[in-house]
Structures are given as structure tokens and as C-alpha cells.
Amino acid sequence: MADQGSEGFLSPFLRERRIRAALPYLRGTVLDFGCGSGALAAWISPANYFGMDRDAEALAAARRRFPAHRFSQELPESAAFDSIAALAVLEHLPSPAAWLRQMRRHLAPGGHIVLTTPHPSVRLVHEAGARAGLFSRAAAEEHEQMLNGADLLRLARRSGFRLVRYRRFLLGANQLAVLQPAGSGD
């Protein structure tokens, strides 16, 4: 499978903007869920980084680029992280609520989840851009659903989280959400 973060003329730019939007919220140990070729690893020390992706080819590329960082197709059952990053991942999941409940078990006390996801208002633009080679065609074809801010708030509540930060970026085309387990402090 192609590295979706670099497939398409504008994809590297979009990936870099997602990373920059998420970085202020990443602290401590970081799980990079859906890490692809490991672009976020460039910003996180090897001791604090764990990249996970289902794509063996992308993981091989990540290991070549960042040999001191840890990458795997599996998440150790007892692993706990201060920050879980899922950058441009949520829209690819068949059940974001089930995924959030699963990730809650991997949050260290006081931990949080940092998400970026495209806003549904740009779905047609994204699909047309993918057909034209501006964005990853594979990523566009794998979108299960796109959620707006209200959808993200409902999803968080339904999954036992609170939405503690939300903002749109890239002229409103993308969203950032920071979630904490309900009942935990800021």
C-alpha cells in the first residue's frame, strides 16, 4: 500500500499541518495510532514514542527512517500512554466509538487523545482532489464517515470522554479535537 501521507501532490503539506496542529497537545509518552511511515516520530523522542499501523509496508519505511523509534502492528495489551495521537485516522474507522473505548484502556492517568479529521464540508473537494492526484486516492476511498464538531462532541460523550479542545484549521477543512476520559481533570 502506498504511504497515504505522501501519495498526492498536497498530501505531504496536509500531513505536516496536521502534525503541527497536534504537537502542542502531545506530551509524555505518545502512541501514534495509524502512524503510516512515521512522520510524527521526527518530533517525538524515541524513548517516548510508539508507532502503530496495520500496514507492514508503511511500518518498514518508518523503521528505516527512524530506527531508534518503536513501531508495531500490535499494541501491547498493558501499554499505557500519556497522549494518543490519531491524525487523519478517525474517518477511516468503521466504529470510532468502539475504537475510543479501546484506546481509553491505553491511556495513562491524566492522559488524553488528540485527533485530527477532515471536516465533512470538504468531502466533495477531497474526493475531486484525490481523483486529480492532489490528495491520496487510497485515503479518500477508505473514508468510512466524516464527522463535524457536533458529531465529535456526541461521539466523545457516547464513548465516555469529554471534548476539552476543538478547533478547525486549514481554512476550516480540518479539525483538531482533544479528548479526556469523563471525570478526569484538565
Side-chain angles (χ1 to χ4, degrees), residues 73-155:
Q73 285 184 301
E74 301 290 326
L75 184 58
E77 188 59 38
S78 62
F81 302 90
D82 300 308
S83 301
I84 297 176
L87 310 183
V89 170
L90 199 66
E91 65 274 13
H92 298 277
L93 302 175
S95 177
W99 178 81
L100 282 171
R101 288 190 294 274
Q102 177 189 8
M103 289 300 105
R104 186 177 177 145
R105 293 192 304 267
H106 293 287
L107 280 176
H112 59 264
I113 297 177
V114 179
L115 307 168
T116 66
T117 187
H119 193 273
S121 65
V122 298
R123 177 185 278 279
L124 294 177
V125 171
H126 192 275
E127 290 171 355
R131 285 192 300 277
L134 296 175
F135 311 121
S136 168
R137 184 181 300 260
E141 291 171 355
E142 292 176 5
H143 285 171
E144 294 279 337
Q145 60 185 320
M146 291 179 130
L147 306 169
N148 64 27
D151 296 330
L152 290 170
L153 178 60
R154 282 191 294 279
L155 173 65

Side-chain angles (χ1 to χ4, degrees), residues 24-36:
Y25 305 100
L26 300 179
R27 58 171 164 58
T29 55
V30 175
L31 167 61
D32 183 5
F33 189 91
C35 67

